[in-house]
Amino acid sequence: VQLQASGGGLVLAGGSLRLSCAASGSIVSINAMRWYRQAPGKERELVSVITNGGSTAYADSVKGRFTISRDNAKNTVYLQMTSLKPEDTAVYYCNADVVRHTWSSGEFRYWGQGTQVTVSS
């Protein structure tokens, strides 16, 4: 299973970006999907999570500005980021809890490679 993240870039403060993360490979279903970020010199932090039923949660720092969504048919999770701030600058990573076998509900967690988001003031 591979996760491919895309959509990062350089944007001015107040701007918007949409990140995508597509999972491929031996997949029966995907449970939770998440976005994390890691700024230089800081620990990786959870930004947002979405369950396979569509329930969502957000870090306080991005509530009201970021929206997570998913397309289960495409095994893809999105992060719409608006009103971006310089402090949102980080490498953004996705991960997913993947069920790989029809005979077991056990899940495996996979990570994407990260995509850089830079917000300039």
Side-chain angles (χ1 to χ4, degrees):
V1 175
Q2 292 186 328
L3 270 64
Q4 181 69 43
S6 61
L10 174 64
V11 64
L12 292 174
S16 300
L17 281 174
R18 188 192 194 210
L19 306 183
S20 300
C21 175
S24 61
S26 180
I27 298 170
V28 171
S29 62
I30 301 177
N31 293 328
M33 304 183 82
R34 305 171 188 84
W35 286 99
Y36 284 77
R37 67 185 181 186
Q38 187 167 20
K42 295 187 177 181
E43 293 188 354
R44 190 172 297 189
E45 64 170 346
L46 177 63
V47 175
S48 185
V49 58
I50 185 167
T51 68
N52 58 1
S55 297
T56 61
Y58 299 90
D60 287 344
S61 59
V62 306
K63 280 181 182 177
R65 300 188 298 121
F66 290 10
T67 303
I68 192 170
S69 62
R70 62 190 285 171
D71 184 333
N72 290 332
K74 296 181 179 179
N75 291 328
T76 299
V77 63
Y78 305 96
L79 187 68
Q80 179 68 49
M81 305 184 293
T82 63
S83 301
L84 283 161
K85 305 175 181 180
E87 51 264 43
D88 294 318
T89 295
V91 178
Y92 283 70
Y93 299 90
C94 56
N95 78 19
D97 296 337
V98 178
V99 176
R100 295 188 57 192
H101 306 292
T102 57
W103 43 265
S104 171
S105 61
E107 58 187 29
F108 300 84
R109 184 163 296 176
Y110 295 91
W111 287 85
Q113 85 286 6
T115 184
Q116 175 72 46
V117 172
T118 303
V119 184
S120 66
S121 56

